[in-house]
Amino acid sequence: MYLIQGVFFQKLTGLDLDYSEGDARAVIRTSACYFMYVGAFGPDPDRGGNWHGRMNDHFGESEITNISFSERHLHFTKEYDGRSDVIHYAFAKEANGLWLGAFDGPGDMCGESKCVIAQVPDDFLRPTRTPQPPAVQ
């Protein structure tokens, strides 16, 4: 199993007010925003060993499928729960260990992404012992 944590950058366009000339006037502004994400992926015995994963970010929970992972490259498709549009991600591993890539989805949903990936034991997401309440003093 692998953990993934990263950030994607997306240009957002919106309506704003500009007061630079004294009176307020409506203007359209575009700015680059970043959004953090976290997830886990790996071979899924319940899916015949096919690779599968889950992610979470500012926009919600998502499933990742069509995963292709090697020592130098990662590709996957992300689909948010309750939505039908899909977003494609592609990364290449840099010499410093960071994974740099891009994503592309419907409309103008595209941008840069970077992440770190760590391999963990398959039981990482399961508790190892029953939690004990703190001692009362």
Side-chain angles (χ1 to χ4, degrees), residues 10-130:
Q10 186 174 358
K11 287 185 180 177
L12 298 178
T13 302
L15 195 57
D16 197 6
L17 292 176
D18 181 8
Y19 297 97
S20 65
E21 297 179 16
D23 293 332
R25 61 186 177 105
V27 294
I28 296 174
R29 295 196 196 275
T30 300
S31 62
C33 296
Y34 71 89
F35 301 96
M36 301 283 296
Y37 58 85
V38 64
F41 65 92
D44 186 343
D46 294 336
R47 297 173 187 264
N50 291 325
W51 286 57
H52 179 262
R54 298 285 300 168
M55 290 181 75
N56 183 300
D57 61 40
H58 174 78
F59 299 100
E61 298 277 336
S62 57
E63 179 178 26
I64 56 175
T65 58
N66 302 315
I67 300 168
S68 173
F69 183 55
S70 70
E71 188 177 309
R72 307 289 316 156
H73 295 95
L74 170 64
H75 301 266
F76 61 84
T77 301
K78 177 169 83 170
E79 183 175 345
Y80 286 102
D81 295 351
R83 291 174 38 188
S84 61
D85 52 333
V86 295
I87 304 164
H88 304 282
Y89 282 78
F91 295 91
K93 189 174 184 180
E94 298 290 306
N96 64 6
L98 288 178
W99 292 76
L100 301 181
F103 66 94
D104 184 36
D108 61 352
M109 186 186 304
C110 62
E112 180 184 338
S113 183
K114 56 179 86 171
C115 66
V116 293
I117 297 172
Q119 187 172 16
V120 296
D122 288 341
D123 64 353
F124 183 79
L125 296 177
R126 290 191 294 274
T128 53
R129 62 179 180 267
T130 305

